[in-house]
Amino acid sequence: MDTTKEPIRVLLVDDHSLFRSGIRSLLQRHAEFAVVGEAADGVEGIKRARQLQPDVVLLDLNMPGMSGVETLQLMQQDCPDAAIVMLTVSEESHDLATALRAGASGYLIKNIDTDYLLRAIRRAAAGETVVAEAMTGKLVAQLQAGGAGEAPASELDKLTPREKEILDCLARGESNKCIARNLDLAESTVKIHVQNVLKKLKLASRVQAAVFAVEHRLK
């Protein structure tokens, strides 16, 4: 590991202090991560995120008071560059689809093994979408069951052929670096294409773009 690289700054938001303590202890054993703060509810989580501007937020879905999805939506306004990953016990496909539609950068189940969690945090920090393997099939089934169909021509006509390629890559959860390599483009060019896709489709995040692609069977 490159020790000169800045650690990934992580904020933990969960109403169970014992769980937060366990995740904090795990991450503190690895120099590439830095737990910069914790919060026991959504209101405090939003406040801490605004103050700390973390790279990654691990956010519980079900908390007393403000829900995880409500917290996510408000947190994105103050921390647009943070990757907000839901870390929950819920394996309900509806909860998964709701979180991703709201702009979550990922959805992980609390019973995942530690190595998988560490890899997921790294990937989220790099701009990738992270969904627990056990939930991937449920995501596609839920979105397609929700009335997915062909995207309206007027929507797709807004995109250039290259932007449609970019959208396909986003649907596969690829990072900008991966897209650049696969399409033989500069990473800076990919970033511009992604921004154009989001703007034209009136979407707030690359995860919402991925959900759009799956819902309209572009994947």
Side-chain angles (χ1 to χ4, degrees), residues 5 14 42 51 68 71 90 96 101 140 153 160 162 176 189 207 210:
K5 188 176 180 181
D14 194 292
Q51 294 169 340
T71 301
S90 174
L96 167 65
R101 284 193 181 103
V140 175
T160 66
R162 177 63 82 183
N176 286 355
T189 301
V207 179

Side-chain angles (χ1 to χ4, degrees), residues 129-197:
T129 304
V130 291
V131 175
E133 292 177 359
M135 300 297 293
T136 304
K138 293 183 179 182
L139 171 62
V140 175
Q142 171 69 22
L143 294 177
Q144 292 182 341
E150 294 299 323
S154 59
E155 293 295 312
L156 292 182
D157 287 346
K158 297 176 183 177
L159 304 181
T160 66
R162 177 63 82 183
E163 288 166 352
K164 290 177 183 178
E165 285 186 297
I166 297 292
L167 182 58
D168 286 340
C169 294
L170 293 177
R172 293 191 291 270
E174 295 179 6
S175 67
N176 286 355
K177 181 178 293 185
C178 182
I179 295 172
R181 183 174 61 249
N182 292 339
L183 298 183
D184 195 24
L185 297 171
E187 194 170 343
S188 57
T189 301
V190 172
K191 185 175 181 180
I192 292 171
H193 282 313
V194 170
Q195 291 172 342
N196 288 340
V197 168

Side-chain angles (χ1 to χ4, degrees), residues 7-23:
I8 297 170
R9 306 173 73 254
V10 181
L11 172 66
L12 308 177
V13 184
D14 194 292
D15 60 313
H16 292 95
S17 59
L18 187 61
F19 182 77
R20 294 199 314 272
S21 177
I23 297 297

Side-chain angles (χ1 to χ4, degrees), residues 3-95:
T3 55
T4 64
K5 188 176 180 181
E6 289 293 323
I8 297 170
R9 306 173 73 254
V10 181
L11 172 66
L12 308 177
V13 184
D14 194 292
D15 60 313
H16 292 95
S17 59
L18 187 61
F19 182 77
R20 294 199 314 272
S21 177
I23 297 297
R24 182 180 67 247
S25 297
L26 168 66
L27 297 182
Q28 286 175 339
R29 294 199 294 269
H30 300 268
E32 64 186 301
F33 304 106
V35 177
V36 295
E38 298 180 34
D41 58 56
V43 173
E44 182 64 21
I46 293 168
K47 183 186 302 183
R48 299 290 282 162
R50 184 185 303 123
Q51 294 169 340
L52 299 168
Q53 293 295 314
D55 301 312
V56 176
V57 179
L58 297 181
L59 175 63
D60 191 13
L61 181 64
N62 298 308
M63 298 182 292
M66 185 181 295
S67 73
V69 170
E70 291 173 316
T71 301
L72 162 69
Q73 292 171 322
L74 293 173
M75 193 176 285
Q76 288 178 111
Q77 298 176 19
D78 294 320
C79 305
D81 296 327
I84 305 175
V85 178
M86 311 307 293
L87 185 56
T88 175
V89 298
S90 174
E91 297 186 39
E92 293 295 326
S93 58
H94 172 75
D95 287 338

